[in-house]
mmCIF file of all heavy atoms in Angstrom:
data_model
loop_
_atom_site.group_PDB
_atom_site.id
_atom_site.type_symbol
_atom_site.label_atom_id
_atom_site.label_comp_id
_atom_site.label_asym_id
_atom_site.label_seq_id
_atom_site.Cartn_x
_atom_site.Cartn_y
_atom_site.Cartn_z
ATOM 1 N N GLU P 1 0.845 -1.179 0.000
ATOM 2 C CA GLU P 1 0.000 0.000 0.000
ATOM 3 C C GLU P 1 0.885 1.234 0.000
ATOM 4 O O GLU P 1 1.869 1.307 0.709
ATOM 5 C CB GLU P 1 -0.916 -0.018 1.231
ATOM 6 C CG GLU P 1 -1.892 -1.181 1.216
ATOM 7 C CD GLU P 1 -2.775 -1.205 2.444
ATOM 8 O OE1 GLU P 1 -2.717 -0.231 3.225
ATOM 9 O OE2 GLU P 1 -3.501 -2.188 2.619
ATOM 10 N N HIS P 2 0.529 2.218 -0.819
ATOM 11 C CA HIS P 2 1.323 3.433 -0.875
ATOM 12 C C HIS P 2 0.416 4.603 -1.232
ATOM 13 O O HIS P 2 -0.776 4.442 -1.464
ATOM 14 C CB HIS P 2 2.471 3.285 -1.878
ATOM 15 C CG HIS P 2 2.025 2.853 -3.238
ATOM 16 N ND1 HIS P 2 1.332 3.680 -4.093
ATOM 17 C CD2 HIS P 2 2.169 1.675 -3.882
ATOM 18 C CE1 HIS P 2 1.090 3.036 -5.220
ATOM 19 N NE2 HIS P 2 1.572 1.831 -5.112
ATOM 20 N N ASP P 3 1.012 5.791 -1.285
ATOM 21 C CA ASP P 3 0.231 7.008 -1.455
ATOM 22 C C ASP P 3 -0.551 7.039 -2.762
ATOM 23 O O ASP P 3 -1.614 7.631 -2.843
ATOM 24 C CB ASP P 3 1.152 8.234 -1.383
ATOM 25 C CG ASP P 3 1.699 8.441 0.020
ATOM 26 O OD1 ASP P 3 1.115 7.868 0.952
ATOM 27 O OD2 ASP P 3 2.705 9.161 0.171
ATOM 28 N N GLY P 4 -0.005 6.403 -3.828
ATOM 29 C CA GLY P 4 -0.711 6.404 -5.105
ATOM 30 C C GLY P 4 -2.068 5.741 -4.998
ATOM 31 O O GLY P 4 -3.070 6.238 -5.515
ATOM 32 N N ILE P 5 -2.130 4.590 -4.331
ATOM 33 C CA ILE P 5 -3.396 3.885 -4.143
ATOM 34 C C ILE P 5 -4.320 4.678 -3.239
ATOM 35 O O ILE P 5 -5.516 4.811 -3.504
ATOM 36 C CB ILE P 5 -3.141 2.480 -3.564
ATOM 37 C CG1 ILE P 5 -2.379 1.625 -4.575
ATOM 38 C CG2 ILE P 5 -4.452 1.805 -3.184
ATOM 39 C CD1 ILE P 5 -1.969 0.286 -4.045
ATOM 40 N N GLU P 6 -3.771 5.230 -2.178
ATOM 41 C CA GLU P 6 -4.591 6.009 -1.246
ATOM 42 C C GLU P 6 -5.233 7.200 -1.947
ATOM 43 O O GLU P 6 -6.393 7.543 -1.673
ATOM 44 C CB GLU P 6 -3.743 6.487 -0.072
ATOM 45 C CG GLU P 6 -3.313 5.354 0.857
ATOM 46 C CD GLU P 6 -2.370 5.828 1.951
ATOM 47 O OE1 GLU P 6 -2.056 7.040 1.976
ATOM 48 O OE2 GLU P 6 -1.953 4.994 2.771
ATOM 49 N N GLY P 7 -4.500 7.823 -2.874
ATOM 50 C CA GLY P 7 -5.046 8.958 -3.614
ATOM 51 C C GLY P 7 -6.219 8.556 -4.494
ATOM 52 O O GLY P 7 -7.235 9.263 -4.567
ATOM 53 N N VAL P 8 -6.083 7.409 -5.164
ATOM 54 C CA VAL P 8 -7.178 6.905 -6.007
ATOM 55 C C VAL P 8 -8.402 6.593 -5.161
ATOM 56 O O VAL P 8 -9.528 6.984 -5.493
ATOM 57 C CB VAL P 8 -6.725 5.637 -6.778
ATOM 58 C CG1 VAL P 8 -7.907 4.979 -7.480
ATOM 59 C CG2 VAL P 8 -5.635 5.994 -7.777
ATOM 60 N N ILE P 9 -8.196 5.892 -4.050
ATOM 61 C CA ILE P 9 -9.315 5.514 -3.182
ATOM 62 C C ILE P 9 -10.010 6.749 -2.608
ATOM 63 O O ILE P 9 -11.248 6.812 -2.554
ATOM 64 C CB ILE P 9 -8.826 4.587 -2.056
ATOM 65 C CG1 ILE P 9 -8.444 3.228 -2.652
ATOM 66 C CG2 ILE P 9 -9.898 4.419 -0.975
ATOM 67 C CD1 ILE P 9 -7.832 2.271 -1.677
ATOM 68 N N LYS P 10 -9.244 7.739 -2.213
ATOM 69 C CA LYS P 10 -9.838 8.968 -1.677
ATOM 70 C C LYS P 10 -10.761 9.612 -2.698
ATOM 71 O O LYS P 10 -11.882 10.034 -2.362
ATOM 72 C CB LYS P 10 -8.729 9.951 -1.273
ATOM 73 C CG LYS P 10 -9.257 11.238 -0.676
ATOM 74 C CD LYS P 10 -8.112 12.175 -0.293
ATOM 75 C CE LYS P 10 -8.654 13.495 0.258
ATOM 76 N NZ LYS P 10 -7.549 14.442 0.585
ATOM 77 N N LYS P 11 -10.323 9.703 -3.952
ATOM 78 C CA LYS P 11 -11.151 10.289 -5.001
ATOM 79 C C LYS P 11 -12.422 9.481 -5.228
ATOM 80 O O LYS P 11 -13.509 10.034 -5.417
ATOM 81 C CB LYS P 11 -10.355 10.376 -6.312
ATOM 82 C CG LYS P 11 -9.253 11.410 -6.316
ATOM 83 C CD LYS P 11 -9.825 12.817 -6.331
ATOM 84 C CE LYS P 11 -8.722 13.859 -6.445
ATOM 85 N NZ LYS P 11 -9.262 15.241 -6.380
ATOM 86 N N LEU P 12 -12.293 8.149 -5.215
ATOM 87 C CA LEU P 12 -13.458 7.292 -5.445
ATOM 88 C C LEU P 12 -14.462 7.401 -4.309
ATOM 89 O O LEU P 12 -15.681 7.399 -4.532
ATOM 90 C CB LEU P 12 -13.004 5.840 -5.624
ATOM 91 C CG LEU P 12 -12.173 5.555 -6.888
ATOM 92 C CD1 LEU P 12 -11.691 4.124 -6.879
ATOM 93 C CD2 LEU P 12 -12.993 5.837 -8.143
ATOM 94 N N ILE P 13 -13.984 7.491 -3.088
ATOM 95 C CA ILE P 13 -14.883 7.653 -1.932
ATOM 96 C C ILE P 13 -15.616 8.984 -2.028
ATOM 97 O O ILE P 13 -16.835 9.058 -1.783
ATOM 98 C CB ILE P 13 -14.089 7.562 -0.612
ATOM 99 C CG1 ILE P 13 -13.605 6.132 -0.392
ATOM 100 C CG2 ILE P 13 -14.949 8.008 0.568
ATOM 101 C CD1 ILE P 13 -12.682 5.970 0.796
ATOM 102 N N GLU P 14 -14.899 10.033 -2.415
ATOM 103 C CA GLU P 14 -15.525 11.351 -2.550
ATOM 104 C C GLU P 14 -16.660 11.331 -3.573
ATOM 105 O O GLU P 14 -17.658 12.039 -3.418
ATOM 106 C CB GLU P 14 -14.474 12.386 -2.975
ATOM 107 C CG GLU P 14 -13.487 12.753 -1.880
ATOM 108 C CD GLU P 14 -12.362 13.643 -2.382
ATOM 109 O OE1 GLU P 14 -12.325 13.917 -3.608
ATOM 110 O OE2 GLU P 14 -11.528 14.064 -1.568
ATOM 111 N N LYS P 15 -16.522 10.506 -4.605
ATOM 112 C CA LYS P 15 -17.544 10.417 -5.650
ATOM 113 C C LYS P 15 -18.602 9.354 -5.349
ATOM 114 O O LYS P 15 -19.503 9.128 -6.158
ATOM 115 C CB LYS P 15 -16.874 10.117 -7.003
ATOM 116 C CG LYS P 15 -16.019 11.260 -7.523
ATOM 117 C CD LYS P 15 -15.344 10.884 -8.812
ATOM 118 C CE LYS P 15 -14.538 12.047 -9.383
ATOM 119 N NZ LYS P 15 -15.380 13.143 -9.839
ATOM 120 N N GLY P 16 -18.488 8.683 -4.195
ATOM 121 C CA GLY P 16 -19.470 7.671 -3.820
ATOM 122 C C GLY P 16 -19.426 6.416 -4.651
ATOM 123 O O GLY P 16 -20.446 5.738 -4.827
ATOM 124 N N MET P 17 -18.247 6.063 -5.138
ATOM 125 C CA MET P 17 -18.128 4.937 -6.067
ATOM 126 C C MET P 17 -17.649 3.642 -5.427
ATOM 127 O O MET P 17 -17.501 2.629 -6.113
ATOM 128 C CB MET P 17 -17.199 5.335 -7.218
ATOM 129 C CG MET P 17 -17.751 6.482 -8.041
ATOM 130 S SD MET P 17 -16.552 7.292 -9.125
ATOM 131 C CE MET P 17 -16.257 6.039 -10.357
ATOM 132 N N LEU P 18 -17.407 3.641 -4.105
ATOM 133 C CA LEU P 18 -16.928 2.431 -3.441
ATOM 134 C C LEU P 18 -17.883 1.898 -2.382
ATOM 135 O O LEU P 18 -18.161 0.694 -2.344
ATOM 136 C CB LEU P 18 -15.559 2.692 -2.778
ATOM 137 C CG LEU P 18 -14.352 2.943 -3.672
ATOM 138 C CD1 LEU P 18 -13.093 3.056 -2.822
ATOM 139 C CD2 LEU P 18 -14.182 1.847 -4.709
ATOM 140 N N SER P 19 -18.377 2.736 -1.516
ATOM 141 C CA SER P 19 -19.119 2.292 -0.336
ATOM 142 C C SER P 19 -20.381 1.517 -0.699
ATOM 143 O O SER P 19 -21.261 2.017 -1.409
ATOM 144 C CB SER P 19 -19.489 3.500 0.536
ATOM 145 O OG SER P 19 -18.324 4.152 0.993
ATOM 146 N N GLY P 20 -20.425 0.250 -0.233
ATOM 147 C CA GLY P 20 -21.600 -0.595 -0.446
ATOM 148 C C GLY P 20 -21.803 -1.061 -1.866
ATOM 149 O O GLY P 20 -22.873 -1.576 -2.209
ATOM 150 N N GLN P 21 -20.797 -0.942 -2.722
ATOM 151 C CA GLN P 21 -20.949 -1.263 -4.143
ATOM 152 C C GLN P 21 -20.462 -2.674 -4.481
ATOM 153 O O GLN P 21 -19.636 -3.249 -3.774
ATOM 154 C CB GLN P 21 -20.160 -0.255 -4.986
ATOM 155 C CG GLN P 21 -20.504 1.199 -4.739
ATOM 156 C CD GLN P 21 -21.932 1.535 -5.086
ATOM 157 O OE1 GLN P 21 -22.416 1.235 -6.176
ATOM 158 N NE2 GLN P 21 -22.642 2.151 -4.151
ATOM 159 N N LYS P 22 -20.995 -3.195 -5.599
ATOM 160 C CA LYS P 22 -20.474 -4.429 -6.193
ATOM 161 C C LYS P 22 -19.425 -4.003 -7.224
ATOM 162 O O LYS P 22 -19.762 -3.341 -8.202
ATOM 163 C CB LYS P 22 -21.590 -5.231 -6.861
ATOM 164 C CG LYS P 22 -22.601 -5.800 -5.891
ATOM 165 C CD LYS P 22 -23.732 -6.519 -6.625
ATOM 166 C CE LYS P 22 -23.245 -7.767 -7.355
ATOM 167 N NZ LYS P 22 -22.838 -8.833 -6.411
ATOM 168 N N ILE P 23 -18.176 -4.412 -6.995
ATOM 169 C CA ILE P 23 -17.057 -3.910 -7.795
ATOM 170 C C ILE P 23 -16.382 -5.032 -8.565
ATOM 171 O O ILE P 23 -16.183 -6.130 -8.038
ATOM 172 C CB ILE P 23 -16.024 -3.204 -6.886
ATOM 173 C CG1 ILE P 23 -16.672 -1.983 -6.207
ATOM 174 C CG2 ILE P 23 -14.786 -2.790 -7.673
ATOM 175 C CD1 ILE P 23 -15.766 -1.300 -5.193
ATOM 176 N N LEU P 24 -16.004 -4.731 -9.807
ATOM 177 C CA LEU P 24 -15.198 -5.635 -10.619
ATOM 178 C C LEU P 24 -13.864 -4.960 -10.910
ATOM 179 O O LEU P 24 -13.826 -3.826 -11.393
ATOM 180 C CB LEU P 24 -15.903 -5.952 -11.946
ATOM 181 C CG LEU P 24 -15.093 -6.776 -12.964
ATOM 182 C CD1 LEU P 24 -14.827 -8.179 -12.439
ATOM 183 C CD2 LEU P 24 -15.811 -6.834 -14.320
ATOM 184 N N ASP P 25 -12.774 -5.673 -10.624
ATOM 185 C CA ASP P 25 -11.423 -5.195 -10.931
ATOM 186 C C ASP P 25 -10.862 -6.092 -12.034
ATOM 187 O O ASP P 25 -10.554 -7.272 -11.805
ATOM 188 C CB ASP P 25 -10.548 -5.253 -9.677
ATOM 189 C CG ASP P 25 -9.145 -4.689 -9.899
ATOM 190 O OD1 ASP P 25 -8.848 -4.246 -11.028
ATOM 191 O OD2 ASP P 25 -8.356 -4.685 -8.942
ATOM 192 N N ILE P 26 -10.738 -5.537 -13.246
ATOM 193 C CA ILE P 26 -10.281 -6.303 -14.409
ATOM 194 C C ILE P 26 -8.754 -6.306 -14.452
ATOM 195 O O ILE P 26 -8.123 -5.258 -14.377
ATOM 196 C CB ILE P 26 -10.825 -5.692 -15.712
ATOM 197 C CG1 ILE P 26 -12.354 -5.640 -15.689
ATOM 198 C CG2 ILE P 26 -10.332 -6.481 -16.924
ATOM 199 C CD1 ILE P 26 -12.942 -4.771 -16.796
ATOM 200 N N GLY P 27 -8.174 -7.494 -14.584
ATOM 201 C CA GLY P 27 -6.718 -7.588 -14.637
ATOM 202 C C GLY P 27 -6.090 -7.071 -13.361
ATOM 203 O O GLY P 27 -5.074 -6.386 -13.382
ATOM 204 N N GLY P 28 -6.686 -7.443 -12.237
ATOM 205 C CA GLY P 28 -6.303 -6.873 -10.947
ATOM 206 C C GLY P 28 -5.039 -7.425 -10.330
ATOM 207 O O GLY P 28 -4.668 -7.014 -9.230
ATOM 208 N N GLY P 29 -4.377 -8.370 -11.010
ATOM 209 C CA GLY P 29 -3.103 -8.881 -10.511
ATOM 210 C C GLY P 29 -3.216 -9.455 -9.113
ATOM 211 O O GLY P 29 -4.112 -10.255 -8.810
ATOM 212 N N ALA P 30 -2.323 -9.027 -8.236
ATOM 213 C CA ALA P 30 -2.264 -9.556 -6.874
ATOM 214 C C ALA P 30 -3.111 -8.748 -5.891
ATOM 215 O O ALA P 30 -2.895 -8.809 -4.691
ATOM 216 C CB ALA P 30 -0.817 -9.620 -6.405
ATOM 217 N N GLY P 31 -4.053 -7.982 -6.417
ATOM 218 C CA GLY P 31 -5.014 -7.315 -5.537
ATOM 219 C C GLY P 31 -4.608 -5.948 -5.038
ATOM 220 O O GLY P 31 -5.106 -5.476 -4.021
#
């Protein structure tokens, strides 16, 4: 985990795109 991921997650939370959602991660590698 590093700042790059935290920045993406912060933006997604602000837009309401994560909480309580069904999410698909395509080509997500090792998670």
Side-chain angles (χ1 to χ4, degrees):
E1 296 179 8
H2 53 71
D3 291 342
I5 294 174
E6 290 175 0
V8 171
I9 290 175
K10 181 180 178 182
K11 289 290 184 183
L12 293 175
I13 290 173
E14 288 173 357
K15 292 177 177 292
M17 297 165 70
L18 292 185
S19 298
Q21 305 297 309
K22 293 177 66 69
I23 298 175
L24 174 66
D25 184 0
I26 302 167

